[in-house]
Amino acid sequence: MYPASFEYAAPGDLDDALTLLRRFADGSPKVLAGGQSLIPLMKLRLAAPSHLVDLRRVAGLSYIREEGDWLRIGAMTTESEIERSPLLQQKYPILVDTSSVIADPLVRNLATVGGNLAHGDPANDHPAVMVSLGAEVVVRGSEGERTVDAEGFFRDLFVTDLAEDEILTQIRIPIASAGASGAYLKFERQVGDYAIAGVAASLRLAAGRIAESRIAFTNLGSIAARAAEAEQLMVGEAPGDSLFREGSLVASHGLSPWEDLRGDGAYKRRVATALTYRALTLAAKRAAPDS
Amino acid sequence: MSKISVSITVNGRIGSDEIEPRLLLVHYLRERLGLRGVRVGCDTSSCGACTVLVDGRAIKSCAMFAVQADGSEVLTVEGLSTGEGLHPIQESFWDEHALQCGFCTSGFIMAAYTLLAENPQPNPDEIKRAISGNLCRCTGYLNIVRAIEAAAAAMRNQAG
């Protein structure tokens, strides 16, 4: 399969990349990160950008570091790098859960976290996780830099808050605090397929009770929406089996997943219930490893 | 559409070329350079038959444009062995009968090559994870896992 023709540029810095996006604004320019969603779409001619602005030569977009109140991840950081990061393995296991189930190891060597988010596909795994973590997306445009809550970043199926002449440069996540952790679980038919369902659960425990909970889903709606009712139900309660069973039922009850080859709505809700229960249980265990 | 000048080192040999941006790396390797060990299988980044290394990382060359490899080093199955002999991974695939039709084999060998560079003594689960992006419709995978285990042992012995 051959994509439609396009012009290509690999600028050396972010300002040049932004200038190029503005210069090509009459056409339909796209930013190329790892290409693992965009290139297959172009091969199927579901996407036919006039220009590709490849970020691979832009320095300083690939890093994982804690800085002040934030864990900062550069947009061009690959899934493989996240999967192998000792810092994330130790302090942010939910991110390792996520990257290690995205596509397959070969795709993960090119696929980037920024691309995963900017693509706006609710079947991608990072959106739900970033929503559950209360992450913010850092975006550069001609007007300078701005940040958007992950929750507000995803507008609709394949629609994000990102303008055509903006570049997603960083994801920042509130630094891991004591008693807080999370888990991401996904159920898929086979490696490389999209999720039948995926659940990201983040919990913060204080004095033996749930002080904060955030749950979001993968591929069960047009965006990675939160399970607000279930979250509220658990706040102030002591973590435990019956609470998590109730929370998972309430969380999945609010979903209306579409029917496709991966199952009908009722089946997907059942999968979501089971995964939510397991994700909450694992998140609580990680948040309070000694209890 | 304008062509782009690229300089890509493939199996140790530097080559310069003028290519269309939409040329996929797999077609560049197969058609421009004649490296037919790199296969087009599913053409949808599922099967891994097109797996090659770019700057040491195993990737699916049907999901990368050749222009993205400008300035990079590419290793294909043809570059594994220097001289007449086989690379230990190739030798093990032969010994353990890890192929039948052979179409997917070069992709598996390149995925195994990456794994063993990172982890010289993988257990069967680690091997299965490492080849989870490659499909084989003949063998049922058991012999492939055995071959990679055998190759790991041979390479450890060789390294002494």
Side-chain angles (χ1 to χ4, degrees), chain A residues 16-255:
Chain A
D16 285 349
L18 289 165
T19 305
L20 288 171
L21 283 178
R22 279 198 300 281
R23 186 181 305 158
F24 303 146
D26 287 346
S28 49
K30 283 288 278 181
V31 172
L32 177 64
Q36 299 303 285
S37 296
L38 181 57
I39 294 173
L41 282 181
M42 289 173 65
K43 290 172 70 180
L44 293 166
R45 308 247 176 160
L46 293 171
S50 61
H51 297 78
L52 283 188
V53 177
D54 188 349
L55 297 183
R56 70 187 197 93
R57 290 212 170 98
V58 176
L61 286 179
S62 179
Y63 51 84
I64 301 170
R65 58 170 181 256
E66 287 184 317
E67 205 176 82
D69 296 334
W70 303 96
L71 165 70
R72 295 175 189 273
I73 303 179
M76 287 292 279
T77 306
T78 65
E79 304 297 351
S80 299
E81 286 161 350
I82 292 176
E83 204 180 348
R84 287 167 175 74
S85 157
L87 171 68
L88 301 184
Q89 286 168 359
Q90 196 195 336
K91 291 184 71 178
Y92 304 87
I94 187 173
L95 291 170
V96 179
D97 293 345
T98 311
S99 291
S100 61
V101 296
I102 288 173
D104 65 57
L106 307 170
V107 171
R108 293 199 288 272
N109 278 336
L110 288 177
T112 66
V113 61
N116 191 289
L117 295 168
H119 189 45
D121 185 347
N124 277 358
D125 300 278
H126 281 299
V129 172
M130 295 309 174
V131 168
S132 94
L133 284 167
E136 292 180 1
V137 174
V138 182
V139 170
R140 272 279 301 275
S142 48
E143 312 281 295
E145 195 173 274
R146 67 189 179 100
T147 59
V148 195
D149 279 347
E151 212 181 333
F153 183 72
F154 304 102
R155 295 285 184 81
D156 204 343
L157 198 66
F158 296 109
V159 181
T160 69
D161 191 52
L162 204 59
E164 285 215 329
D165 60 352
E166 287 183 317
I167 296 174
L168 194 166
T169 56
Q170 183 190 90
I171 296 92
R172 59 183 206 186
I173 295 163
I175 213 153
S177 56
S181 196
Y184 180 69
L185 296 177
K186 157 167 155 175
F187 190 58
E188 57 186 0
R189 297 185 301 179
Q190 63 187 47
V191 167
D193 191 22
Y194 291 113
I196 294 168
V199 181
S202 294
L203 293 175
R204 186 168 61 81
L205 308 180
R209 301 205 168 253
I210 294 172
E212 210 178 332
S213 79
R214 290 172 74 105
I215 302 167
F217 297 101
T218 296
N219 213 14
L220 293 169
S222 55
I223 58 166
R226 282 174 69 178
E229 201 185 330
E231 292 174 5
Q232 280 153 25
L233 174 145
M234 294 190 292
V235 170
E237 304 290 330
D241 204 58
S242 60
L243 181 74
F244 291 157
R245 286 198 186 282
E246 193 188 349
S248 63
L249 275 171
V250 172
S252 52
H253 184 74
L255 296 167

Side-chain angles (χ1 to χ4, degrees), chain A residues 1 7 43 56 84 104, chain B residues 2 43 60 62 70 118:
Chain A
M1 293 182 286
E7 302 281 350
K43 290 172 70 180
R56 70 187 197 93
R84 287 167 175 74
D104 65 57
Chain B
S2 33
D43 210 4
K60 292 182 170 176
C62 81
D70 181 28
E118 199 179 345

